[in-house]
Coordinates of all heavy atoms in Angstrom, one line a residue:
N956 N -20.3 1.1 -12.7 CA -20.8 2.5 -12.6 C -20.9 3.1 -14.0 O -21.1 4.4 -14.1 CB -20.1 3.3 -11.6 CG -18.6 3.4 -11.9 OD1 -18.1 3.0 -13.0 ND2 -17.8 3.9 -11.0
D957 N -20.6 2.4 -15.1 CA -20.6 3.0 -16.4 C -19.5 4.0 -16.7 O -19.6 4.8 -17.6 CB -22.0 3.6 -16.8 CG -23.1 2.6 -16.8 OD1 -22.8 1.4 -17.0 OD2 -24.3 3.0 -16.7
V958 N -18.5 4.0 -15.8 CA -17.5 5.0 -15.9 C -16.1 4.4 -16.2 O -15.5 4.5 -17.3 CB -17.4 5.9 -14.7 CG1 -16.2 6.9 -14.8 CG2 -18.7 6.7 -14.5
N959 N -15.6 3.6 -15.3 CA -14.2 3.1 -15.4 C -14.0 1.7 -15.0 O -12.9 1.4 -14.5 CB -13.3 4.1 -14.7 CG -13.6 4.1 -13.2 OD1 -14.5 3.5 -12.7 ND2 -12.8 4.9 -12.5
R960 N -14.9 0.8 -15.1 CA -14.7 -0.5 -14.8 C -15.1 -1.5 -15.9 O -16.0 -1.1 -16.7 CB -15.6 -0.9 -13.5 CG -15.3 0.1 -12.3 CD -15.7 -0.6 -11.0 NE -14.8 -1.7 -10.6 CZ -15.2 -2.6 -9.8 NH1 -16.4 -2.7 -9.3 NH2 -14.3 -3.6 -9.5
W961 N -14.4 -2.6 -16.0 CA -14.7 -3.5 -17.1 C -14.2 -4.9 -16.8 O -13.3 -5.1 -15.9 CB -14.0 -3.0 -18.4 CG -12.6 -2.9 -18.3 CD1 -11.6 -3.8 -18.7 CD2 -11.8 -1.8 -17.8 NE1 -10.4 -3.4 -18.5 CE2 -10.4 -2.1 -17.9 CE3 -12.1 -0.5 -17.3 CZ2 -9.4 -1.3 -17.6 CZ3 -11.1 0.3 -16.9 CH2 -9.8 0.0 -17.1
L962 N -14.7 -5.9 -17.5 CA -14.2 -7.2 -17.4 C -12.9 -7.3 -18.2 O -12.8 -6.9 -19.4 CB -15.2 -8.2 -18.1 CG -14.8 -9.7 -18.1 CD1 -14.7 -10.3 -16.7 CD2 -15.7 -10.5 -19.0
P963 N -11.8 -7.7 -17.5 CA -10.5 -7.7 -18.2 C -10.5 -8.5 -19.5 O -11.1 -9.5 -19.6 CB -9.5 -8.3 -17.2 CG -10.2 -8.1 -15.9 CD -11.7 -8.2 -16.1
E964 N -9.8 -8.0 -20.5 CA -9.7 -8.6 -21.8 C -9.1 -10.0 -21.7 O -9.4 -10.9 -22.5 CB -9.0 -7.7 -22.8 CG -9.1 -8.3 -24.2 CD -8.6 -7.3 -25.3 OE1 -8.1 -6.2 -24.9 OE2 -8.6 -7.7 -26.5
S965 N -8.2 -10.2 -20.7 CA -7.6 -11.5 -20.6 C -8.5 -12.6 -20.1 O -8.2 -13.8 -20.3 CB -6.4 -11.4 -19.6 OG -6.9 -11.0 -18.3
A966 N -9.7 -12.2 -19.6 CA -10.7 -13.2 -19.2 C -11.1 -14.1 -20.5 O -11.4 -13.5 -21.5 CB -11.9 -12.6 -18.6
I967 N -11.1 -15.4 -20.3 CA -11.5 -16.2 -21.4 C -13.0 -16.5 -21.3 O -13.5 -17.0 -20.2 CB -10.7 -17.5 -21.4 CG1 -9.3 -17.3 -21.6 CG2 -11.2 -18.5 -22.5 CD1 -8.4 -18.5 -21.4
T968 N -13.8 -16.1 -22.3 CA -15.3 -16.2 -22.2 C -15.8 -17.4 -23.0 O -15.2 -17.9 -23.8 CB -15.9 -14.9 -22.7 OG1 -15.7 -14.9 -24.1 CG2 -15.3 -13.7 -22.0
I969 N -17.1 -17.7 -22.6 CA -17.8 -18.7 -23.4 C -17.9 -18.4 -24.9 O -17.8 -19.3 -25.7 CB -19.2 -19.0 -22.8 CG1 -19.9 -20.1 -23.5 CG2 -20.0 -17.7 -22.7 CD1 -19.3 -21.4 -23.5
A970 N -18.0 -17.1 -25.2 CA -18.1 -16.7 -26.6 C -16.8 -17.0 -27.3 O -16.8 -17.4 -28.5 CB -18.5 -15.2 -26.7
E971 N -15.7 -16.7 -26.7 CA -14.4 -17.0 -27.3 C -14.2 -18.5 -27.5 O -13.7 -18.9 -28.6 CB -13.3 -16.5 -26.4 CG -13.2 -14.9 -26.3 CD -12.1 -14.5 -25.3 OE1 -12.4 -14.3 -24.1 OE2 -11.0 -14.3 -25.8
L972 N -14.5 -19.3 -26.5 CA -14.4 -20.7 -26.6 C -15.2 -21.3 -27.7 O -14.8 -22.2 -28.5 CB -14.7 -21.4 -25.3 CG -13.7 -21.1 -24.1 CD1 -14.2 -21.6 -22.8 CD2 -12.3 -21.7 -24.4
L973 N -16.5 -20.9 -27.8 CA -17.4 -21.4 -28.8 C -17.0 -20.9 -30.2 O -17.1 -21.6 -31.2 CB -18.8 -21.0 -28.5 CG -19.4 -21.7 -27.2 CD1 -20.8 -21.3 -27.0 CD2 -19.3 -23.3 -27.4
S974 N -16.5 -19.7 -30.3 CA -16.1 -19.1 -31.5 C -14.9 -19.9 -32.1 O -14.8 -20.2 -33.3 CB -15.7 -17.6 -31.4 OG -15.3 -17.1 -32.6
R975 N -14.0 -20.2 -31.2 CA -12.8 -21.1 -31.7 C -13.3 -22.4 -32.2 O -12.6 -23.1 -33.0 CB -11.8 -21.2 -30.5 CG -11.1 -20.0 -30.0 CD -10.3 -20.2 -28.8 NE -9.9 -19.0 -28.1 CZ -9.4 -19.0 -26.9 NH1 -9.2 -20.1 -26.2 NH2 -9.0 -17.8 -26.4
A976 N -14.4 -22.9 -31.7 CA -14.9 -24.2 -32.1 C -15.8 -24.1 -33.3 O -16.5 -25.1 -33.6 CB -15.7 -24.8 -30.9
G977 N -15.9 -22.9 -33.9 CA -16.7 -22.8 -35.1 C -18.0 -22.2 -35.0 O -18.8 -22.2 -36.0
Y978 N -18.4 -21.8 -33.8 CA -19.7 -21.2 -33.6 C -19.8 -19.8 -34.0 O -18.8 -19.0 -33.9 CB -20.1 -21.2 -32.1 CG -20.8 -22.5 -31.6 CD1 -20.0 -23.7 -31.6 CD2 -22.1 -22.5 -31.2 CE1 -20.6 -24.9 -31.1 CE2 -22.7 -23.7 -30.8 CZ -22.0 -24.9 -30.7 OH -22.6 -26.0 -30.3
H979 N -20.9 -19.3 -34.6 CA -21.2 -17.9 -34.8 C -21.6 -17.4 -33.4 O -22.3 -18.1 -32.6 CB -22.3 -17.7 -35.8 CG -21.9 -18.2 -37.1 ND1 -21.0 -17.6 -37.9 CD2 -22.5 -19.2 -37.9 CE1 -20.9 -18.3 -39.1 NE2 -21.8 -19.2 -39.1
T980 N -21.3 -16.2 -33.1 CA -21.6 -15.6 -31.8 C -22.2 -14.2 -31.9 O -21.7 -13.4 -32.7 CB -20.3 -15.6 -30.9 OG1 -19.3 -14.7 -31.5 CG2 -19.8 -16.9 -30.6
A981 N -23.1 -13.9 -31.0 CA -23.7 -12.6 -31.0 C -24.2 -12.3 -29.6 O -24.8 -13.1 -28.9 CB -24.9 -12.5 -32.0
H982 N -24.0 -11.0 -29.2 CA -24.6 -10.6 -27.9 C -25.7 -9.5 -28.2 O -25.5 -8.6 -29.0 CB -23.5 -9.9 -27.0 CG -24.1 -9.2 -25.8 ND1 -24.4 -9.9 -24.7 CD2 -24.5 -7.9 -25.6 CE1 -25.0 -9.1 -23.8 NE2 -25.0 -7.9 -24.3
V983 N -26.8 -9.7 -27.5 CA -27.9 -8.8 -27.7 C -28.4 -8.3 -26.3 O -28.7 -9.1 -25.5 CB -29.1 -9.5 -28.5 CG1 -30.2 -8.5 -28.7 CG2 -28.6 -10.1 -29.8
G984 N -28.6 -7.0 -26.2 CA -29.2 -6.5 -24.9 C -28.2 -5.9 -24.0 O -27.1 -5.5 -24.4
K985 N -28.6 -5.8 -22.7 CA -27.7 -5.1 -21.7 C -26.4 -5.9 -21.6 O -26.3 -7.1 -21.8 CB -28.4 -5.2 -20.4 CG -27.6 -4.6 -19.2 CD -28.4 -4.6 -17.9 CE -27.6 -4.1 -16.8 NZ -28.4 -4.0 -15.5
W986 N -25.3 -5.1 -21.3 CA -24.0 -5.7 -21.2 C -23.5 -5.4 -19.8 O -23.3 -6.4 -19.1 CB -23.1 -5.0 -22.3 CG -21.6 -5.4 -22.2 CD1 -20.6 -4.6 -21.9 CD2 -21.1 -6.7 -22.6 NE1 -19.4 -5.3 -22.0 CE2 -19.7 -6.6 -22.4 CE3 -21.6 -7.9 -23.0 CZ2 -18.8 -7.6 -22.7 CZ3 -20.8 -8.9 -23.2 CH2 -19.4 -8.8 -23.1
H987 N -23.2 -4.2 -19.5 CA -22.8 -3.8 -18.1 C -21.5 -4.5 -17.6 O -21.3 -4.7 -16.5 CB -23.9 -4.0 -17.1 CG -24.1 -2.8 -16.2 ND1 -24.9 -2.8 -15.1 CD2 -23.4 -1.6 -16.2 CE1 -24.8 -1.7 -14.5 NE2 -23.9 -0.9 -15.1
L988 N -20.6 -4.7 -18.6 CA -19.3 -5.2 -18.3 C -18.2 -4.3 -18.9 O -17.1 -4.7 -19.0 CB -19.1 -6.6 -18.7 CG -19.9 -7.7 -17.9 CD1 -19.8 -9.1 -18.6 CD2 -19.3 -7.8 -16.5
G989 N -18.6 -3.1 -19.2 CA -17.6 -2.1 -19.6 C -17.4 -2.1 -21.1 O -17.9 -2.9 -21.9
G990 N -16.7 -1.0 -21.6 CA -16.4 -0.9 -23.0 C -17.4 -0.4 -23.9 O -17.3 -0.6 -25.1
L991 N -18.5 0.3 -23.4 CA -19.5 0.8 -24.3 C -19.7 2.3 -24.3 O -20.8 2.8 -24.2 CB -20.9 0.1 -23.9 CG -20.9 -1.4 -24.1 CD1 -22.3 -2.0 -23.7 CD2 -20.6 -1.8 -25.6
H992 N -18.5 3.0 -24.3 CA -18.5 4.4 -24.4 C -18.2 4.8 -25.9 O -17.5 4.1 -26.6 CB -17.5 5.0 -23.5 CG -17.7 4.7 -22.0 ND1 -16.8 5.0 -21.1 CD2 -18.7 4.1 -21.4 CE1 -17.2 4.6 -19.9 NE2 -18.4 4.0 -20.1
V993 N -18.7 6.0 -26.3 CA -18.5 6.4 -27.7 C -17.9 7.8 -27.7 O -18.1 8.6 -26.7 CB -19.8 6.4 -28.5 CG1 -20.4 5.0 -28.6 CG2 -20.9 7.3 -27.8
D994 N -17.3 8.1 -28.8 CA -16.8 9.5 -29.0 C -17.9 10.4 -29.6 O -19.1 9.9 -29.8 CB -15.6 9.5 -29.9 CG -15.8 9.0 -31.3 OD1 -16.9 8.9 -31.7 OD2 -14.8 8.6 -31.9
D995 N -17.6 11.6 -30.0 CA -18.6 12.5 -30.6 C -19.2 12.0 -31.9 O -20.3 12.5 -32.2 CB -18.0 13.9 -30.7 CG -17.7 14.6 -29.4 OD1 -18.2 14.1 -28.4 OD2 -16.8 15.5 -29.4
T996 N -18.5 11.2 -32.6 CA -19.0 10.7 -33.9 C -19.9 9.4 -33.7 O -20.4 8.9 -34.6 CB -17.9 10.4 -34.8 OG1 -17.2 9.2 -34.4 CG2 -16.9 11.5 -34.9
G997 N -19.9 8.9 -32.4 CA -20.7 7.7 -32.2 C -19.9 6.4 -32.3 O -20.5 5.3 -32.2

């Protein structure tokens, strides 16, 4: 709901596994897994 839910940080993701293997990683576009709130400065 864009308020108070998120994928736990303890979850091991494909990005983490590939990054450890030497891959560059980038996410582009919709996320909807939490953690995209900003303060007044952005």
